[in-house]
Amino acid sequence: MKRHINTQRRLLLSGSAAGLLLSALPALATTKAAAGATPRRVVVAGGAITEVVYALDAGTVLIGADTTSTYPAAALALPKMGYQRALSAEGVLSLHPDLLLASADAGPPATLQQIAAAGVRVIRLGERHDVNTVREKIIGVASALDLAPRGKVLLQRFDSEWQTALTAVQKQRPAKPPRVLFILSNSGTQAMVAGRDTAADAMIRYAGAVNATSDGKGFKGYKPLTAESAVASAPDILLIASESLAAIGGVDRLLASPGISLTPAAKARRVVSDIDSLLLLGFGPRLPQALSQLSTQLYS
């Protein structure tokens, strides 16, 4: 039991910001977390974490999720408690959970403190953009739900599928890696492009391609897409999630965008868009499938 409790504590929070949150959580939440009771009413803030719960065959404990939880289909039927970065304590607590599993992006911090103060165990899981983060999510969720044996099985399956996907990428990638520009767009907002330290950048690199915005040296995070930046990046391929393409208005409108229309990708009409954002950017248990689908589309 002592080893189990210590494991739970190590997985509560990751990163310096998360550590600050843990120190601010009221004693009530910490006491309840240490009790080690098997959770029966669980809510999730983070689509990839929701996927892990279902992959562990534990979906019956879920009573609510955030709006990024769109897979599997059963997750769509769960009561929604808002966007993971803009949760409200009232919305979460109205579902009467005993455990909140949250990504490192979930918040705001004050809301999580209020939820913990109400006696709900709050466990946050790391949100880096690499394969080890997926492993940590699997182990962390399985531990939180008292399903360590299932977690071990899922982790073994994930590792096997990941190695298969990496082997396929090595066979598919050309001698000269293509330059790929990832575009993020939501209805009513300006399109953005992905730089370093983003999920899109990590997926492009895992697929053996080059992020056209940075070549590994440029800006971090996301920046607005401008005509000048589009031309300067000179992408061979445009990568955009299916939802973002719909928000822009389709392939023709994307290729006609200022700056984009002058790129090698637009002239060759090379657009990869047949992949949804949660699969492409979620870094959940479907990461091997995401990599396989992305590399196939990039190199077909």
Side-chain angles (χ1 to χ4, degrees):
M1 176 64 72
K2 184 176 181 180
R3 179 180 299 176
H4 175 72
I5 294 172
N6 288 338
T7 300
Q8 289 281 47
R9 287 173 177 167
R10 286 197 300 270
L11 290 167
L12 277 172
L13 297 171
S14 65
S16 57
L20 291 175
L21 175 62
L22 177 60
S23 65
L25 291 180
L28 177 60
T30 303
T31 301
K32 187 165 186 178
T38 301
R40 299 185 182 276
R41 297 180 60 82
V42 181
V43 291
V44 180
I49 298 174
T50 300
E51 287 192 36
V52 173
V53 175
Y54 280 102
L56 291 168
D57 195 24
T60 55
V61 303
L62 292 180
I63 59 169
D66 76 307
T67 55
T68 71
S69 299
T70 58
Y71 183 90
L76 295 172
L78 292 171
K80 292 298 182 285
M81 52 190 194
Y83 178 51
Q84 63 174 337
R85 295 177 183 265
L87 299 174
S88 72
E90 294 79 6
V92 174
L93 295 175
S94 68
L95 299 175
H96 307 291
D98 53 33
L99 171 64
L100 167 61
L101 293 173
S103 75
D105 292 332
T111 294
L112 298 184
Q113 293 174 29
Q114 291 174 351
I115 294 169
V120 178
R121 183 163 49 142
V122 177
I123 295 179
R124 297 183 72 187
L125 299 163
E127 197 60 52
R128 302 183 312 277
H129 307 306
D130 57 48
V131 66
N132 285 330
T133 293
V134 183
R135 296 186 178 107
E136 291 169 6
K137 289 174 184 174
I138 292 172
I139 295 170
V141 172
S143 178
L145 299 180
D146 291 331
L147 296 172
R150 293 189 196 179
K152 183 177 180 180
V153 172
L154 178 57
L155 185 60
Q156 290 174 341
R157 184 169 74 241
F158 172 82
D159 283 339
S160 176
E161 293 175 349
W162 180 246
Q163 289 304 314
T164 299
L166 289 178
T167 299
V169 168
Q170 292 300 318
K171 294 179 179 179
Q172 289 176 313
R173 61 180 297 186
K176 181 180 179 181
R179 297 173 58 82
V180 179
L181 178 66
F182 177 79
I183 300 173
L184 176 67
S185 178
N186 297 304
S187 298
T189 62
Q190 183 177 3
M192 311 285 283
V193 291
R196 293 187 292 116
D197 297 341
T198 62
D201 177 69
M203 288 302 296
I204 290 169
R205 289 186 288 105
Y206 274 134
V210 174
N211 186 347
T213 64
S214 63
D215 293 348
K217 302 177 182 178
F219 62 88
K220 293 183 179 180
Y222 286 86
K223 284 191 175 182
L225 171 63
T226 64
E228 294 78 9
S229 64
V231 172
S233 63
D236 301 304
I237 301 172
L238 302 176
L239 174 60
I240 184 169
S242 54
E243 306 97 313
S244 289
L245 185 63
I248 285 177
V251 172
D252 289 338
R253 182 163 292 184
L254 171 64
L255 296 180
S257 302
I260 290 289
S261 62
L262 301 176
T263 63
K267 294 175 182 178
R269 295 186 66 85
R270 290 295 314 279
V271 179
V272 169
S273 61
D274 190 18
I275 186 168
D276 68 81
S277 58
L278 180 57
L279 177 58
L280 178 63
L281 308 176
F283 277 79
R286 293 185 296 158
L287 180 61
Q289 294 93 312
L291 178 59
S292 296
Q293 187 170 333
L294 175 59
S295 60
T296 297
Q297 292 186 50
L298 288 176
Y299 305 134
S300 61

